[in-house]
Amino acid sequence: MLGVANDRSIAWGCTAQARAQGAEVVASCLNDKARKWVTPLTDPIGVDLVNCNVEEPGQLEALVEHAVRKLGKLDFVIHSIAWAPLDDLHGDVVDSSREGFARAISVSCHSFAELAKLCAPHMPDGGSMLSMSYLGSGEAVPNYGLMGPVKAALESMVRYMAMELGPKNIRVHAVSPGPILTRAASGIADFDGLMASAQAKAPLQRLVTLEEIAQLSTFLCSDAASGMTGQTIYVDGGVHAVD
């Protein structure tokens, strides 16, 4: 479970839901600074926590090695990390720096492929791999900026990974939640306005909850979703379905 930051993070919601359903889980947080917020969550429910900054060589490998030692084999992985330099995130896409775009793609997108390569050999019975996307991958959302093209690349990667890993009975999906106030989302300009717009547009006339995102994610990791792969699945109150 990559990307637990605090009790509002999607990775934490998925961790708590998976544990409630009886799964053994190893989770990651970014660094020691993040641990002080995360260990009070993970320790009481018996979840091992490992520091993992995917930009640091060897840390992703160390996380997977720890998980395999702890769990024996892997049944699912959930990748819930995204990042871009603030200057690039807050500016126009046409003004984004080459370096900033490359780092955003590396952290938010390519790390999912790296994770899959490391985990697949430890899924002898198949399994599921999930990453988190957003509506801004397929349409231009004000203030989402650079992350829109990055998430579009992530969703394309999901389709290719599903094709490549399908013969190993490994299923791959992107979950596309509606906006909720996570630490990563707080870096997006006028995120409150984005949430208000989503609520006004949603057929359900509300925002989704962390629990609803986690319930979809754990369903996709379960045998109940055994016939599904390669999809971007929305949990956004229906926003994606209306103009």
Side-chain angles (χ1 to χ4, degrees):
M1 194 77 65
L2 269 72
V4 182
N6 53 38
D7 62 351
R8 294 182 176 182
S9 62
I10 291 173
W12 165 244
C14 293
T15 297
Q17 183 70 22
R19 284 294 290 137
Q21 295 184 18
E24 295 294 322
V25 180
V26 171
S28 80
C29 63
L30 179 62
N31 51 31
D32 286 338
K33 183 178 179 181
R35 289 187 76 90
K36 68 179 182 180
W37 300 104
V38 180
T39 52
L41 304 173
T42 55
D43 282 358
I45 62 172
V47 169
D48 273 15
L49 183 66
V50 179
N51 289 10
C52 183
N53 179 347
V54 297
E55 290 195 286
E56 293 294 329
Q59 290 200 10
L60 190 58
E61 289 84 351
L63 169 64
V64 174
E65 289 171 7
H66 178 92
V68 171
R69 285 197 304 270
K70 173 72 175 179
L71 304 174
K73 67 182 182 71
L74 305 177
D75 297 315
F76 64 89
V77 294
I78 298 179
H79 171 276
S80 185
I81 56 175
W83 181 85
L86 283 180
D87 287 346
D88 295 287
L89 183 62
H90 289 168
D92 292 343
V93 170
V94 295
D95 294 325
S96 62
S97 68
R98 180 175 296 185
E99 179 186 22
F101 186 79
R103 289 185 69 188
I105 281 282
S106 176
V107 172
S108 310
C109 179
H110 191 260
S111 64
F112 187 42
E114 295 178 272
L115 179 66
K117 182 177 180 179
L118 293 168
C119 291
H122 304 289
M123 291 181 155
D125 303 317
S128 298
M129 298 182 178
L130 308 183
S131 192
M132 299 295 157
S133 191
Y134 177 62
L135 182 69
S137 64
E139 60 183 70
V141 174
N143 298 314
Y144 198 57
L146 184 65
M147 289 307 299
V150 170
K151 293 297 190 183
L154 176 66
E155 291 183 13
S156 180
M157 181 171 285
V158 162
R159 293 188 290 271
Y160 279 90
M161 287 169 56
M163 177 179 66
E164 294 166 358
L165 296 174
K168 299 179 180 179
N169 196 33
I170 296 173
R171 299 173 283 115
V172 188
H173 292 292
V175 172
S176 186
I180 63 170
L181 192 57
T182 63
R183 182 177 179 183
S186 66
I188 298 171
D190 192 25
F191 193 73
D192 287 345
L194 186 64
M195 290 193 297
S197 176
Q199 183 169 350
K201 186 178 179 182
L204 293 183
Q205 299 183 338
R206 63 174 178 84
L207 300 176
V208 295
T209 66
L210 184 61
E211 291 75 17
E212 288 171 326
I213 298 167
Q215 286 165 1
L216 171 62
S217 299
T218 53
F219 161 72
L220 291 171
C221 291
S222 75
D223 290 341
S226 60
M228 302 168 61
T229 194
Q231 299 181 62
T232 296
I233 302 173
Y234 296 92
V235 52
D236 64 356
V239 171
H240 72 281
V242 298
D243 291 331

